[in-house]
């Protein structure tokens, strides 16, 4: 269950993919229903992702008590959840079930009266003394009739909150079924009650009870109800009610333990950057039959998998929120720190491979990350560049986004008497700043504030300087020419020209049944990605039809350059695009 207030979309998708692959690979099960009963409030992003993954429904729990009252009053706890951003023609609604009571334990979910529900939590483990182990009695022939009457009254009240009169009753709680004995206790006693009620249909007005899964619940509901109310929005901020009747709002976790939240974003950024570099470098090695590099890539890919899983694990509603115990948070921090280090080192090695023109690169260790980290609870430090007289040092600026960026680049140097040249050996305007050592002598984030006023400890470094300049991180779109089967040679010339401009190169393949062309374009050396538009509307490669497509791609990805081949087609298409963009193609 991912948190839904502090997480970022990429991390949510990562957790969804990793979790589903694990369940499929280890249990051979493909989930079809979401179970999200413990996050502190709910947003509409998770239902959107689940609906896009062909889920049949989802179940939520922790929403504001006023919403629970409203749903109960209007019998609307099963509803279609619509995202705010739903596109026309795309049905991403998801049937959602709101658990009607406060929490998911047996005490609070069998019906509206917790102290009656305590009678039906049959866990009795030697050495455990709890309110349910004291109150609950195992089902016998002597008490089964009275217990069945008591239970069916609670179930009936729960079902009355829905127009279809179907009740979903969970049997569990946090940290349950960790003992084999509890499985037997819960199942045997509930089986006696279920069989008794089903065998006395006249007494219980044809009530039918069965063990099942959330998927079974949604199937039963859809048989009885065809239309559902719809809702658009989210359930923040979450609030429950204390026993004394005061509301308790849950919002402190938005800012609790912020350094861990920063770590999560840091891993997310490094992992995504690595995935792009790794894919490009791996495909290059495969194209060049560099089997030594491929073996290394296959070995290192396991570190990417572990990084994805550590990132997904930390999106848990008690992890990124900062609501876990201190030792648990330290474990999360160590896992994230390890994956950040692995992702950084793998980025270094893939960049080294991509920078070397030889098919089988031999040099290693000449790329260093701009940041150094000692542990998860220490602030990362900028790596200073040691520039001596008459000696140059090269650095790489990498844009991991799909679009062009204008970025302020900050470098650390041990010498203020430096010049910065771009890739064309042209000198750039720079600004030299002092480095303020706010954390000098501090071992960690917490120790910064442990001994008085931080402002009294700010000093100017005597050894390091900050170099600041602007850098435009470029990206180029190449419009491929083809006959729906093979690329024309002029496309290769256009790609070569695009690579001379620097930055990422994207190829747009548009046509009718032109999938093979896109596959061929993806194999071209130095290509970052291929955009495929396969439709009869682009049949015949007519410039008038392709112009709106190119403009739409430019509007989405913000390329710094658009390149077309110097052919009759290119000379017809390029002016149309240039006129619309008021620029040069």
């Amino acid at each position: 269950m991912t948190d839904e207030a502090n997480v970022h979309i990429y991390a949510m998708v990562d957790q969804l993919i990793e979790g589903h692959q694990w369940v499929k690979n280890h249990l051979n099960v493909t989930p079809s229903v979401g179970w999200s009963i413990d996050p502190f409030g709910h947003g509409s992003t998770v239902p959107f992702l689940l609906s896009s993954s062909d889920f049949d429904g989802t179940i939520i729990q922790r929403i504001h008590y006023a919403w629970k009252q409203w749903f109960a009053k209007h019998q609307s706890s099963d509803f279609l959840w619509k995202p705010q951003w739903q596109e026309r023609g795309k049905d991403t609604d998801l049937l959602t079930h709101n658990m009607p009571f406060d929490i998911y334990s047996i005490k609070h979910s069998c019906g509206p009266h917790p102290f009656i529900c305590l009678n039906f939590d049959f866990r009795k483990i030697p050495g455990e003394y709890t309110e349910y182990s004291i109150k609950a009695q195992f089902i016998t022939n002597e008490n089964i009739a009275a217990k069945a009457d008591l239970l069916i009254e609670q179930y009936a009240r729960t079902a009355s909150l829905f127009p279809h009169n179907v009740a979903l009753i969970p049997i569990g709680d946090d940290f349950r079924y960790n003992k084999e004995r509890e499985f037997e206790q819960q199942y045997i006693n509930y089986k006696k009650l279920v069989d008794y009620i089903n065998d006395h249909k006249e007494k219980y007005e044809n009530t039918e009870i069965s063990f099942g899964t959330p998927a079974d619940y949604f199937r039963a509901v859809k048989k009885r109800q065809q239309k559902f109310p719809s809702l658009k929005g989210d359930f923040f901020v979450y609030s429950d009610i204390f026993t004394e009747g005061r509301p308790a709002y849950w919002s402190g976790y938005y800012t609790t333990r912020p350094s861990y939240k920063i770590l999560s974003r840091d891993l997310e950024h490094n992992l995504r950057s690595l995935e792009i570099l790794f894919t490009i470098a791996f495909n290059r090695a495969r194209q060049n039959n560099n089997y030594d590099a491929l073996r290394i890539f296959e070995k290192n890919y396991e570190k990417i998998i572990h990084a994805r899983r550590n990132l997904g694990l930390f999106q848990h509603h008690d992890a990124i929120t900062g609501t876990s115990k201190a030792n648990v948070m330290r474990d999360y921090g160590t896992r994230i720190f390890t994956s950040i280090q692995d992702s950084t080192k793998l980025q270094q090695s893939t960049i080294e491979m991509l920078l070397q023109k030889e098919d089988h690169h031999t040099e290693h260790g000449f790329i260093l990350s701009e940041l150094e980290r000692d542990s998860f609870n220490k602030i990362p430090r900028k790596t200073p560049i040691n520039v001596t007289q008459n000696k140059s040092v090269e650095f790489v600026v990498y844009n991991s986004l799909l679009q062009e960026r204008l970025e302020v680049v900050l470098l650390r140097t041990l010498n203020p008497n430096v010049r910065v040249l771009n890739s064309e050996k042209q000198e750039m305007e720079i600004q030299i700043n002092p480095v303020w050592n706010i954390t000098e002598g501090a071992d960690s984030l917490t120790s910064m504030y442990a001994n008085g006023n931080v402002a009294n400890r700010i000093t100017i470094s005597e050894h390091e300087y900050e170099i600041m300049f602007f850098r435009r991180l470029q990206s180029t779109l190449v419009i491929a020419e083809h006959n729906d089967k093979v690329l024309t040679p002029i496309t290769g010339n256009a790609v070569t020209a695009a690579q001379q401009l620097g930055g990422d190169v994207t190829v747009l393949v548009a046509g009718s049944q032109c999938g093979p062309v896109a596959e061929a374009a993806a194999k071209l050396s130095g290509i970052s990605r291929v955009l495929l538009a396969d439709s009869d509307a682009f049949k015949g490669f007519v410039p008038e039809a392709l112009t709106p497509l190119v403009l739409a791609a430019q509007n989405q990805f913000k390329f710094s350059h658009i390149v077309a081949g110097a052919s009759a087609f290119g000379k017809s298409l390029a002016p149309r695009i240039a006129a619309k963009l008021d620029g040069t193609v």
Side-chain angles (χ1 to χ4, degrees):
M1 285 178 279
T2 177
D3 174 62
E4 301 185 32
N6 298 276
V7 292
H8 185 263
I9 181 67
Y10 172 74
M12 297 171 78
V13 173
D14 168 75
Q15 190 202 56
L16 187 70
I17 293 173
E18 285 300 316
H20 283 206
Q21 288 181 340
W22 191 95
V23 170
K24 182 63 177 178
N25 293 336
H26 290 80
L27 304 177
N28 196 28
V29 172
T30 300
S32 61
V33 173
W35 180 258
S36 189
I37 59 170
D38 210 17
F40 318 128
H42 297 276
S44 56
T45 301
V46 169
F48 171 78
L49 293 176
L50 297 182
S51 175
S52 302
S53 304
D54 293 328
F55 270 44
D56 297 324
T58 190
I59 298 170
I60 62 175
Q61 173 84 53
R62 290 182 182 260
I63 65 175
H64 197 288
Y65 63 88
W67 266 114
K68 287 191 176 289
Q69 293 171 354
W70 189 91
F71 280 137
K73 180 179 179 181
H74 295 85
Q75 291 188 313
S76 299
S77 284
D78 286 335
F79 58 91
L80 291 175
W81 202 341
K82 296 176 177 288
Q84 296 276 18
W85 55 88
Q86 182 164 321
E87 300 178 34
R88 291 183 178 179
K90 290 188 177 181
D91 185 9
T92 51
D93 304 346
L94 186 67
L95 182 58
T96 303
H97 172 75
N98 159 54
M99 300 287 281
F101 304 119
D102 290 342
I103 201 67
Y104 43 78
S105 64
I106 296 176
K107 175 182 176 181
H108 291 93
S109 60
C110 92
H113 297 297
F115 291 104
I116 294 179
C117 292
L118 275 176
N119 287 275
F120 302 99
D121 190 344
F122 299 106
R123 177 183 171 111
K124 291 183 182 293
I125 305 298
E128 286 186 1
Y129 297 96
T130 62
E131 56 181 352
Y132 48 82
S133 65
I134 295 173
K135 188 173 181 64
Q137 298 176 351
F138 288 157
I139 302 302
T140 64
N141 292 334
E142 289 72 26
N143 66 13
I144 190 169
K147 294 291 186 181
D149 291 347
L150 201 59
L151 183 66
I152 203 67
E153 179 187 8
Q154 294 301 300
Y155 284 5
R157 293 192 177 197
T158 302
S160 69
L161 301 176
F162 302 87
H164 46 67
N165 205 31
V166 179
L168 171 65
I169 312 294
I171 305 174
D173 199 352
D174 290 335
F175 313 112
R176 288 303 195 89
Y177 299 104
N178 57 341
K179 305 288 185 181
E180 184 178 353
R181 178 177 298 188
E182 182 182 3
F183 280 94
E184 298 174 354
Q185 292 169 341
Q186 302 284 18
Y187 178 74
I188 291 173
N189 284 279
Y190 270 100
K191 185 69 166 62
K192 292 178 180 178
L193 289 167
V194 168
D195 290 343
Y196 181 86
I197 294 172
N198 290 339
D199 290 341
H200 294 78
K201 292 188 180 298
E202 292 184 3
K203 178 179 180 181
Y204 297 114
E205 299 179 355
N206 293 317
T207 296
E208 182 178 350
I209 303 178
S210 64
F211 294 102
T213 65
D216 295 324
Y217 171 78
F218 282 111
R219 279 193 289 267
V221 167
K222 290 176 180 178
K223 287 181 180 179
R224 296 192 175 202
Q225 185 175 348
Q226 282 71 46
K227 293 183 178 181
F228 297 89
S230 62
L231 181 144
K232 184 181 288 188
D234 60 52
F235 293 104
F236 293 116
V237 61
Y238 162 62
S239 178
D240 55 15
I241 301 179
F242 284 135
T243 53
E244 58 267 30
R246 293 188 294 109
Y249 283 90
W250 291 55
S251 58
Y253 67 94
Y254 293 156
T255 54
T256 299
R257 289 170 165 159
S259 61
Y260 287 92
K261 293 174 170 60
I262 294 172
L263 271 178
S264 176
R265 293 293 196 271
D266 203 355
L267 173 56
E268 189 176 337
H269 151 68
N270 279 285
L271 178 58
R272 184 60 186 143
S273 298
L274 170 61
E275 287 176 336
I276 296 170
L277 288 170
F278 190 92
T279 302
I280 297 172
F282 180 83
N283 285 331
R284 174 174 163 177
R286 187 169 57 180
Q287 292 166 5
N288 295 329
N289 296 320
N290 189 342
Y291 299 110
D292 291 337
L294 288 174
R295 281 191 288 270
I296 295 174
F297 279 128
E298 289 176 359
K299 181 179 179 181
N300 288 337
Y301 188 67
E302 296 208 3
K303 294 182 179 179
I304 297 179
I305 294 175
H306 285 303
R308 289 171 176 164
R309 290 179 177 174
N310 285 336
L311 178 65
L313 180 68
F314 190 67
Q315 307 317 303
H316 186 275
H317 61 275
D318 278 323
I320 194 171
T321 59
T323 54
S324 291
K325 294 181 179 179
N327 62 318
V328 179
M329 294 303 298
R330 284 194 296 271
D331 181 66
Y332 283 132
T334 302
R335 289 171 178 270
I336 295 174
F337 171 74
T338 301
S339 292
I340 290 176
Q341 296 292 83
D342 289 341
S343 298
T344 301
K345 291 177 182 177
L346 290 178
Q347 285 181 76
Q348 293 171 188
S349 63
T350 52
I351 290 174
E352 287 174 352
M353 176 184 174
L354 293 171
L355 287 177
Q356 299 181 72
K357 295 182 180 179
E358 293 80 5
D359 291 344
H360 298 270
H361 68 290
T362 56
E363 293 187 48
H364 303 281
F366 61 88
I367 291 290
L368 295 176
S369 170
E370 68 164 339
L371 294 176
E372 299 175 3
R373 296 176 176 84
D374 295 326
S375 68
F376 72 87
N377 61 352
K378 290 188 178 181
I379 301 173
R381 306 184 308 276
K382 279 270 191 179
T383 304
I385 300 174
N386 186 14
V387 182
T388 57
Q389 191 170 5
N390 299 324
K391 180 183 177 182
S392 64
V393 177
E394 294 183 345
F395 59 90
V396 178
V397 181
Y398 163 49
N399 178 17
S400 61
L401 300 184
L402 289 172
Q403 67 271 5
E404 174 189 7
R405 292 161 60 187
L406 183 62
E407 190 84 0
V408 177
V409 180
L410 300 175
L411 301 176
R412 291 283 176 88
T413 178
L414 302 179
N415 188 341
N417 302 312
V418 299
R419 295 187 304 158
V420 176
L421 308 180
N422 61 19
S423 57
E424 286 79 34
K425 305 301 181 183
Q426 299 170 337
E427 185 171 352
M428 303 182 66
E429 291 187 8
I430 64 173
Q431 177 176 312
I432 301 177
N433 303 323
V435 174
W436 299 91
N437 278 338
I438 300 176
T439 61
E440 192 172 72
D443 293 330
S444 66
L445 292 169
T446 52
S447 65
M448 285 174 55
Y449 301 92
N451 300 311
N453 191 352
V454 177
N456 293 334
R457 295 163 48 197
I458 298 177
T459 60
I460 297 179
S461 173
E462 299 178 358
H463 310 290
E464 294 186 13
Y465 305 88
E466 184 177 74
I467 311 299
M468 181 173 72
F469 61 94
F470 288 100
R471 176 61 174 162
R472 185 175 295 277
L473 304 177
Q474 303 183 106
S475 58
T476 302
L477 174 67
V478 174
I479 303 169
E481 292 189 40
H482 57 88
N483 60 1
D484 288 331
K485 295 181 180 179
V486 295
L487 288 168
T488 60
I490 203 168
T491 300
N493 298 337
V495 170
T496 301
Q499 291 172 341
Q500 300 301 314
L501 296 171
D504 291 339
V505 177
T506 299
V507 176
L508 172 62
V509 177
S512 176
Q513 299 181 351
C514 55
V517 179
E519 294 177 3
K523 296 178 181 179
L524 293 174
S525 179
I527 299 302
S528 300
R529 67 190 64 84
V530 174
L531 305 178
L532 174 61
D534 197 333
S535 170
D536 290 340
F538 306 122
K539 193 173 184 178
F541 225 56
V542 180
E544 290 83 355
L546 289 182
T547 299
L549 175 66
V550 176
L551 294 175
Q554 173 62 19
N555 183 57
Q556 180 176 353
F557 297 108
K558 305 293 188 300
F559 298 103
S560 56
H561 301 84
I562 300 177
V563 175
S567 63
F569 169 77
K571 293 176 181 178
S572 175
L573 178 64
R576 299 172 188 271
I577 299 172
K580 292 288 187 180
L581 297 177
D582 193 22
T584 303
V585 178

